[in-house]
Amino acid sequence: MHKTMVPCLLIFALLFTCVRQIAAASNKALEEKIVALEKQGWEEIKKKDWNALGSLMTDDFVEVTEMGIRGKSEALEDLKANLILTEYAIEQVKLLELSKDAALLAYQLVQKGSYKGQGLPAKMNCSAAYVRRGGKWLNASFQETMAK
């Protein structure tokens, strides 16, 4: 019995290692996809393509900022009227996979531009919740806090 137990344990350890590597690769692929979508959103803001930005969001999108809690149309109208983004970078990325159809992206945004004629804070801590609907990943919520 002991002679068969050692090979079985070795096989189990090898399988466990393979499963962990596959899960890590899957999470990395999801992180790359979600980060690419988030960057696409910031690019649409830079280009002032509000229809394209809206197409990246769910209809029931919720935004939480110092301006309050707003839905998709309110957030888009405010951005359209008040935001000029000239440069941005996404740093310190962390992704939390909540389920096979939901993920939370947290990052620090470094930005240049203006909001209502005033300079933007240089750094913001942000989170974006993404959901997969109809096979497509969409931004369901965005939150930002000024970084110190």
Side-chain angles (χ1 to χ4, degrees), residues 62-110:
V62 175
E63 177 186 72
V64 181
T65 67
E66 67 180 27
M67 301 307 296
I69 300 169
R70 306 185 292 192
K72 178 179 179 176
S73 62
E74 294 170 295
L76 287 171
E77 286 303 314
D78 180 53
L79 293 174
K80 183 178 181 178
N82 299 305
L83 182 64
I84 297 171
L85 181 68
T86 57
E87 292 180 39
Y88 76 94
I90 292 176
E91 301 177 346
Q92 300 179 29
V93 172
K94 298 208 182 303
L95 182 84
L96 175 61
E97 188 173 355
L98 302 170
S99 74
K100 68 179 184 69
D101 294 320
L104 179 69
L105 178 67
Y107 60 93
Q108 188 165 85
L109 177 69
V110 180

Side-chain angles (χ1 to χ4, degrees), residues 4-98:
T4 60
M5 190 173 213
V6 171
C8 286
L9 288 174
L10 289 173
I11 291 171
F12 176 76
L14 179 62
L15 286 174
F16 180 73
T17 301
C18 290
V19 168
R20 282 185 30 202
Q21 289 175 345
I22 290 168
S26 173
N27 192 277
K28 187 65 176 168
L30 179 60
E31 179 180 303
E32 289 173 0
K33 180 169 193 64
I34 299 296
V35 168
L37 286 168
E38 191 71 1
K39 286 180 178 179
Q40 183 181 349
W42 288 109
E43 285 297 321
E44 303 306 352
I45 291 171
K46 270 181 69 176
K47 294 187 298 188
K48 297 187 171 294
D49 190 340
W50 309 115
N51 290 331
L53 179 62
S55 74
L56 299 172
M57 304 157 83
T58 61
D59 289 337
D60 56 351
F61 173 87
V62 175
E63 177 186 72
V64 181
T65 67
E66 67 180 27
M67 301 307 296
I69 300 169
R70 306 185 292 192
K72 178 179 179 176
S73 62
E74 294 170 295
L76 287 171
E77 286 303 314
D78 180 53
L79 293 174
K80 183 178 181 178
N82 299 305
L83 182 64
I84 297 171
L85 181 68
T86 57
E87 292 180 39
Y88 76 94
I90 292 176
E91 301 177 346
Q92 300 179 29
V93 172
K94 298 208 182 303
L95 182 84
L96 175 61
E97 188 173 355
L98 302 170

